[in-house]
Amino acid sequence: MSNRHNHTDEELIILYKENDVVAFREIYVRYWYELYLITNKRLRSKEASEEIIQNFFTIFWTNRKKINIRSSLRAYLHTSIRYSVIDHLAKEATKNNYLELLSFNYKDTANTTEETIFLHEVEEGISFVMSKLPAKCRRVFELSRQQHKSNKEIAELLGLSEKTVENHITNALKLFRVHFKEMLIASSFAWLLF
């Protein structure tokens, strides 16, 4: 096993595609901080940036046989990480829209009868979906959406990993999306989810 520090990016790509873990590690070490700076410049979150980069490199290794790098390695990594950031921002926007829906203060609005009925249906739908969530998932979601705790705070409070907390929230949001999709598309509140 030769020293990979002296290899060019092109040589590393060839070795990486041949399942060379040391070449992959060298790509990781060579570009991690650079990708972190790009990600953190946009997100301004150390934790989110590190998680995005870790997820990216996991996929980069797992899909090494399928990946076709036509330009330089640096250009490929920069473009890929930008797409990962865009994907992260889109997911966060969806979560924030759900937060708006779930934290909407119905009592403070002057509602027509039609709006009142709709809002009552939303409240019932929220209660129904919450009752269908597994206990741990429900607790995580309540801490996130009702008590506005961060994933890190929830993880520490419940003794879970941040990834597990994120998975619980994602699963809860999927169930809400399925339940409310038809009703919200037909209403003036569709923009809250989409």
Side-chain angles (χ1 to χ4, degrees):
M1 197 180 298
S2 63
N3 185 343
R4 302 291 186 242
H5 298 305
N6 301 325
H7 283 70
T8 65
D9 283 355
E10 291 74 19
E11 292 169 329
L12 287 174
I13 290 169
I14 292 166
L15 293 167
Y16 146 81
K17 289 184 79 67
E18 293 173 352
N19 303 324
D20 187 319
V21 176
V22 178
F24 169 75
R25 189 175 304 131
E26 178 58 27
I27 293 169
Y28 181 92
V29 168
R30 197 174 283 187
Y31 287 102
W32 186 94
Y33 188 67
E34 195 172 310
L35 297 177
Y36 171 79
L37 291 176
I38 292 168
T39 307
N40 198 44
K41 181 178 180 183
R42 177 67 190 205
L43 300 179
R44 304 211 184 282
S45 167
K46 179 180 183 287
E47 293 81 14
S49 299
E50 288 175 352
E51 184 176 341
I52 285 170
I53 293 168
Q54 195 60 42
N55 288 341
F56 167 73
F57 273 110
T58 300
I59 292 166
F60 184 66
W61 174 253
T62 305
N63 293 332
R64 62 194 172 280
K65 295 292 185 187
K66 301 176 199 167
I67 290 175
N68 188 7
I69 301 173
R70 295 189 179 118
S71 57
S72 72
L73 176 61
R74 174 176 271 117
Y76 174 85
L77 294 173
H78 282 216
T79 301
S80 297
I81 209 68
R82 283 189 181 103
Y83 280 118
S84 296
V85 169
I86 290 167
D87 185 52
H88 172 80
L89 291 172
K91 287 177 182 172
E92 285 301 306
T94 300
K95 287 179 186 177
N96 290 337
N97 287 338
Y98 275 106
L99 178 59
E100 284 179 45
L101 175 66
L102 297 177
S103 65
F104 189 75
N105 191 343
Y106 308 123
K107 299 348 181 231
D108 293 345
T109 59
N111 300 317
T112 64
T113 304
E114 194 173 284
E115 287 173 331
T116 303
I117 291 168
F118 172 77
L119 293 175
H120 180 69
E121 288 174 359
V122 169
E123 287 175 333
E124 284 183 347
I126 291 169
S127 296
F128 174 78
V129 173
M130 292 297 281
S131 73
K132 295 296 179 191
L133 295 174
K136 185 75 79 176
C137 184
R138 181 172 53 251
R139 181 69 179 132
V140 167
F141 197 75
E142 287 169 347
L143 288 168
S144 173
R145 296 314 193 245
Q146 293 171 351
Q147 297 182 29
H148 310 293
K149 294 200 179 295
S150 70
N151 288 3
K152 186 174 183 178
E153 290 172 322
I154 296 168
E156 289 171 1
L157 189 67
L158 300 180
L160 302 171
S161 71
E162 285 184 61
K163 187 69 179 166
T164 301
V165 169
E166 184 179 314
N167 288 341
H168 280 307
I169 292 170
T170 300
N171 290 337
L173 291 175
K174 283 179 187 172
L175 193 55
F176 275 102
R177 185 179 294 119
V178 168
H179 183 78
F180 282 105
K181 188 173 183 180
E182 288 181 24
M183 182 175 70
L184 290 173
I185 287 174
S187 77
S188 60
F189 290 95
W191 65 271
L192 287 173
L193 294 181
F194 308 101

